Amino acid sequence: MAENREVTIYDIAKHLNISAATVSRGLKNSPAVSKNTRKKIAEVALELGYQSNTFASSLRSKTTKTLGVLVPRLNSHFMSSVLAGMEKAANKHGYNLIIAQSLEEAENEKQNADTMFNKRVDGLLISLAYDTRNINHLEPFFKRNIPVVFFDRVYSHPSSISVVINNYDAAYKITKHLIDQGCQRIMHIGGNLLRNVYKDRFDGYRQALKDHDLPFQDKMHLISELSEKDGTAAAKHILSMPAAKRPDAVFSANDTSAVYCMMALKAAGFHIPHDVAFAGFNNDPISKVIEPNLTTVDYAGETMGNIAVTNLINHLQGTGNLYSTNSITLRADLIIRASSLKNEVQKTK
Amino acid sequence: MAENREVTIYDIAKHLNISAATVSRGLKNSPAVSKNTRKKIAEVALELGYQSNTFASSLRSKTTKTLGVLVPRLNSHFMSSVLAGMEKAANKHGYNLIIAQSLEEAENEKQNADTMFNKRVDGLLISLAYDTRNINHLEPFFKRNIPVVFFDRVYSHPSSISVVINNYDAAYKITKHLIDQGCQRIMHIGGNLLRNVYKDRFDGYRQALKDHDLPFQDKMHLISELSEKDGTAAAKHILSMPAAKRPDAVFSANDTSAVYCMMALKAAGFHIPHDVAFAGFNNDPISKVIEPNLTTVDYAGETMGNIAVTNLINHLQGTGNLYSTNSITLRADLIIRASSLKNEVQKTK
DNA sequence: TTGTAAGCGTTATCAT
DNA sequence: ATGATAACGCTTACAA
């Protein structure tokens, strides 16, 4: 009953009166082993209920077929899409994922990076925490030439690759779209400028204003963690302004705060987009549910995850020349919906 | 430059002229080692940039400090919340998570279970795929006494534990709530009855009808994968019915299809909840955004993940008596919102 | 095509 | 409190 010893390649070897080495080779379908013995090995393995021991293997071969994934939080629509894409791609190539979250804290990020290193992941995929200021904690990886792939919230480093979208461009376009709709006083709800995604979106927004001779005002730039509460707070902020000073549009760096800001303004009697037009970022499911539907940027998380992992694995297997570039930029198209269509809606009124 | 050999406990031992065994103990802060040498070991370890090799350790100690998590899909609000809760709890206890998704297919589930077994996870957390019919693929775990924790979509097995909510009860209550609002013809959009969650919700719904002398009709029970499309299709189905035969309420087994059904009916000119009242399940973010807000069941994913992992780890560490029970049922309260408040809304009309 | 034997880095078991 | 030594299960030169 208490069958407790592991079944090893030695057991298989004994059964067949061959050496463990041959069994090891046979199990990997090495052509160096005759078809016949290979078949026998497979049969006996099944019969004895053999299960390979990956660490014994890893210890010897120095490869784990495991990738580390380190993200700020894993429960957002965007991030879980990325992870789904990563898992699919990894699985396809026989790799597993160890996933950990920094909960937006640099300290956790460091600690998680350490354990991943100790678990000898073959590569690391990372999106930085809100307040990470440097990547010293990744030095062990760089030192041992373990490939690091940054995605979304990246950090420029000579010997690693980044997978991103063109945040600057998307923000520029979406801001320009609002301007084209006749908006003149566009507020931006943004994130920590330490992170490329928020910095780039802010820059794109500002450049679009500049190119259209619209002034940028500090009061029109809110920085927060872009949560539901932050969206509601942004609405309160708007309501607290004298009517003449209020924005006629809001461009938020994510959909969550855009939607919660919209809801609060609607509750206060504002008409969207007539009084205030709205644009968000990410194409979160809520953007298709809020009324009017939210104009946003299609951020294809699953694709990003897929590409990041596929690249990493190609690199590990030496088949990838993709690594010759330092950064991969994915498309991120505008999705224009009613919340920003000032003219349209005015017409239909 | 090409510093390539691993720094091992032998290097530390040599530096200090002590044995590797002592270093090994010292690194784990074993009280068998004098405080002084422990300190020295830690210093030299840091100095040499020592990083412990987990497989060497796992190979010897037969424990990996890694838990396997196998889910249908990881990109739903509910599931990513569960995973977030699991990761937090695991991390707190020094465990890592290997996460894989079955993509709702039994075949993938089997294969993933195998690799997790081979990676010698200390325990397995699993929520079953849409069409899994038996758990033979988990036999290796049971045979070797590796604890298996089912959560959400569970399977009754004598030597494993389940973490669930009372789906039957929640469904009963939410159906009763609709009945109390005056609804008489309640449609149910459900999932595959093979899965406890959908079976129990269906049973709860049916029992509530029965207890209130309302007939159950097959035409009022749709089975699907509860996607956005399925929600829209349900609306089409309703629209295709003769007006007199249409439901006056819909209880959906998840929020996604409830919301997409609502949206389609609204677009067709229906007034919610006056014409059709709505209730969903899960408390997904979209349920707070749709208008009118969706009545739903608060399914606390993060808590479920936390409890599942904490229990598993307690069991592994022999500190848990919780394992004496076979099933843990978490609270899942109704969240009543406007979409189901027929009387209220009629009054305000 | 197969076998031999060394070794991966750690920990457990005895000793001392 | 510390040391010597033998595993853990697998891979991989090298030999045959």
Side-chain angles (χ1 to χ4, degrees):
Chain A
M1 203 101 298
E3 166 71 66
N4 225 1
R5 225 185 55 78
E6 301 239 350
V7 178
T8 73
I9 52 173
Y10 286 98
D11 298 318
I12 301 179
K14 219 170 286 170
H15 254 249
L16 290 170
N17 258 312
I18 56 178
S19 78
T22 305
V23 175
S24 173
R25 293 186 193 108
L27 253 12
K28 313 204 111 56
N29 253 303
S30 156
V33 176
S34 82
K35 284 234 158 152
N36 190 28
T37 29
R38 258 190 274 171
K39 211 180 102 193
K40 277 187 194 157
I41 291 169
E43 281 166 10
V44 176
L46 201 65
E47 182 194 330
L48 300 184
Y50 168 80
Q51 302 270 1
S52 87
N53 183 323
T54 28
F55 0 110
S57 162
S58 292
L59 180 57
R60 199 58 241 260
S61 66
K62 308 232 178 247
T63 148
T64 56
K65 292 278 188 179
T66 301
L67 306 177
V69 184
L70 194 34
V71 301
R73 317 199 91 92
L74 48 79
N75 54 340
S76 73
H77 170 76
F78 166 67
M79 198 51 86
S80 62
S81 304
V82 172
L83 293 175
M86 288 185 168
E87 198 278 339
K88 242 186 249 179
N91 217 314
K92 185 171 138 196
H93 296 273
Y95 281 75
N96 279 115
L97 255 35
I98 292 189
I99 301 177
Q101 46 187 352
S102 62
L103 300 175
E104 301 285 14
E105 280 173 33
E107 183 52 35
N108 291 329
E109 191 170 282
K110 176 181 171 17
Q111 200 204 298
N112 283 324
D114 278 354
T115 42
M116 297 217 164
F117 182 88
N118 285 350
K119 296 230 168 173
R120 299 296 192 274
V121 295
D122 288 346
L124 181 70
L125 297 137
I126 183 171
S127 182
L128 296 173
Y130 204 74
D131 64 343
T132 295
R133 291 179 176 273
N134 62 59
I135 52 170
N136 297 343
H137 49 305
L138 302 184
E139 270 309 315
F141 291 88
F142 297 133
K143 267 208 187 107
R144 295 200 71 80
N145 278 316
I146 297 165
V148 174
V149 174
F150 291 96
F151 64 95
D152 189 45
R153 279 144 67 150
V154 306
Y155 199 101
S156 177
H157 184 277
S159 60
S160 70
I161 195 177
S162 287
V163 182
V164 287
I165 59 165
N166 192 329
N167 289 283
Y168 175 90
D169 189 55
Y172 186 97
K173 282 183 181 150
I174 211 161
T175 308
K176 177 172 183 326
H177 164 75
L178 290 169
I179 296 170
D180 289 348
Q181 296 296 312
C183 302
Q184 306 258 7
R185 306 178 43 75
I186 305 174
M187 168 174 276
H188 179 49
I189 309 181
N192 189 342
L193 297 182
L194 214 49
R195 293 282 74 81
N196 63 303
V197 289
Y198 304 124
K199 172 79 161 69
D200 292 353
R201 289 171 202 178
F202 175 60
D203 286 348
Y205 152 80
R206 226 170 26 167
Q207 189 61 44
L209 293 186
K210 201 170 172 188
D211 288 354
H212 294 80
D213 298 318
L214 294 174
F216 164 71
Q217 297 167 60
D218 258 344
K219 274 165 272 170
M220 286 296 198
H221 179 210
L222 266 38
I223 291 187
S224 73
E225 297 188 22
L226 302 165
S227 67
E228 298 181 358
K229 271 184 193 164
D230 294 319
T232 310
K236 277 194 191 131
H237 177 69
I238 291 171
L239 290 169
S240 77
M241 298 166 107
K245 300 248 177 186
R246 286 180 190 150
D248 56 6
V250 171
F251 161 42
S252 165
N254 80 4
D255 289 341
T256 301
S257 55
V259 163
Y260 277 79
C261 185
M262 270 174 83
M263 292 202 296
L265 290 186
K266 279 167 70 179
F270 280 55
H271 184 272
I272 314 295
H274 181 76
D275 297 330
V276 184
F278 266 89
F281 213 104
N282 281 357
N283 195 19
D284 191 282
I286 55 173
S287 70
K288 286 189 294 184
V289 171
I290 185 76
E291 284 177 40
N293 283 186
L294 183 63
T295 286
T296 186
V297 176
D298 182 27
Y299 201 149
E302 201 156 333
T303 307
M304 177 171 278
N306 185 339
I307 302 245
V309 161
T310 305
N311 257 271
L312 177 52
I313 293 177
N314 280 346
H315 177 69
L316 287 171
Q317 303 183 335
T319 40
N321 59 350
L322 291 159
Y323 218 62
S324 57
T325 175
N326 232 26
S327 164
I328 297 176
T329 306
L330 307 178
R331 281 191 77 107
D333 295 319
L334 248 56
I335 301 181
I336 295 170
R337 300 205 186 102
S339 74
S340 67
L341 298 178
K342 243 175 156 102
N343 302 324
E344 297 285 325
V345 174
Q346 280 173 323
K347 257 179 265 165
T348 65
K349 279 271 131 183
Chain B
M1 204 102 299
E3 165 71 65
N4 225 4
R5 223 185 56 77
E6 301 237 353
V7 177
T8 73
I9 52 173
Y10 284 97
D11 298 320
I12 300 178
K14 219 169 286 170
H15 254 249
L16 290 171
N17 258 311
I18 56 179
S19 78
T22 305
V23 175
S24 175
R25 294 184 195 109
L27 253 12
K28 315 204 109 56
N29 253 302
S30 157
V33 176
S34 82
K35 284 232 159 152
N36 190 27
T37 29
R38 260 189 272 171
K39 210 180 101 193
K40 276 187 193 157
I41 290 168
E43 281 167 11
V44 176
L46 201 66
E47 182 193 330
L48 300 185
Y50 167 80
Q51 301 270 1
S52 87
N53 182 323
T54 26
F55 353 113
S57 164
S58 292
L59 178 58
R60 197 61 241 259
S61 66
K62 308 235 180 241
T63 149
T64 56
K65 293 278 187 179
T66 300
L67 306 177
V69 184
L70 193 34
V71 301
R73 316 199 92 91
L74 47 78
N75 54 341
S76 74
H77 171 75
F78 166 66
M79 198 52 85
S80 62
S81 304
V82 172
L83 294 175
M86 288 184 168
E87 200 278 339
K88 241 186 250 179
N91 217 315
K92 185 171 139 197
H93 295 273
Y95 280 76
N96 279 116
L97 255 35
I98 293 190
I99 301 177
Q101 46 187 351
S102 63
L103 300 174
E104 301 285 13
E105 280 173 32
E107 183 51 36
N108 291 329
E109 190 170 284
K110 177 183 168 17
Q111 200 205 296
N112 283 323
D114 278 355
T115 42
M116 297 214 165
F117 183 86
N118 285 351
K119 295 231 167 173
R120 299 293 193 278
V121 294
D122 288 346
L124 181 70
L125 298 137
I126 183 170
S127 183
L128 297 173
Y130 205 72
D131 64 344
T132 295
R133 289 178 179 276
N134 61 59
I135 52 171
N136 297 343
H137 50 304
L138 302 183
E139 269 310 315
F141 291 89
F142 297 133
K143 268 210 185 105
R144 296 201 69 80
N145 278 314
I146 297 165
V148 173
V149 174
F150 291 95
F151 63 94
D152 189 45
R153 280 144 66 152
V154 306
Y155 199 101
S156 177
H157 184 277
S159 60
S160 70
I161 196 177
S162 288
V163 183
V164 288
I165 60 164
N166 192 331
N167 288 283
Y168 175 90
D169 189 56
Y172 186 97
K173 282 184 181 150
I174 211 161
T175 307
K176 178 172 182 329
H177 164 75
L178 290 169
I179 297 170
D180 290 346
Q181 296 297 311
C183 303
Q184 306 259 7
R185 307 176 44 76
I186 305 174
M187 167 175 275
H188 179 49
I189 309 180
N192 189 342
L193 296 183
L194 214 50
R195 293 282 74 82
N196 63 303
V197 288
Y198 304 123
K199 173 78 162 68
D200 293 353
R201 288 171 203 179
F202 175 58
D203 287 348
Y205 151 80
R206 227 170 23 167
Q207 190 60 44
L209 294 185
K210 201 171 174 189
D211 289 354
H212 294 81
D213 299 318
L214 293 173
F216 164 71
Q217 299 167 59
D218 259 344
K219 275 165 269 169
M220 287 298 199
H221 180 210
L222 267 37
I223 292 188
S224 72
E225 296 188 24
L226 302 167
S227 67
E228 297 180 359
K229 273 185 192 164
D230 294 319
T232 311
K236 276 191 193 136
H237 177 69
I238 292 172
L239 291 168
S240 76
M241 299 166 108
K245 300 247 178 187
R246 284 181 190 147
D248 56 5
V250 171
F251 161 42
S252 165
N254 80 3
D255 289 341
T256 302
S257 55
V259 163
Y260 277 78
C261 185
M262 269 174 83
M263 293 202 296
L265 290 186
K266 279 168 68 179
F270 279 54
H271 184 272
I272 315 294
H274 182 76
D275 298 329
V276 184
F278 266 89
F281 214 104
N282 280 358
N283 195 18
D284 190 282
I286 56 173
S287 69
K288 286 189 293 183
V289 171
I290 185 76
E291 286 177 37
N293 283 187
L294 182 62
T295 285
T296 186
V297 176
D298 182 27
Y299 202 149
E302 200 155 332
T303 306
M304 177 171 278
N306 186 340
I307 302 247
V309 162
T310 304
N311 256 270
L312 177 52
I313 293 177
N314 280 345
H315 177 68
L316 288 170
Q317 303 183 335
T319 38
N321 59 350
L322 290 159
Y323 218 62
S324 58
T325 175
N326 230 27
S327 163
I328 298 176
T329 306
L330 306 178
R331 281 190 77 108
D333 294 320
L334 250 55
I335 300 181
I336 295 170
R337 300 204 186 102
S339 74
S340 67
L341 299 178
K342 242 174 157 103
N343 301 325
E344 296 285 325
V345 174
Q346 280 173 325
K347 254 179 268 165
T348 65
K349 280 267 131 185

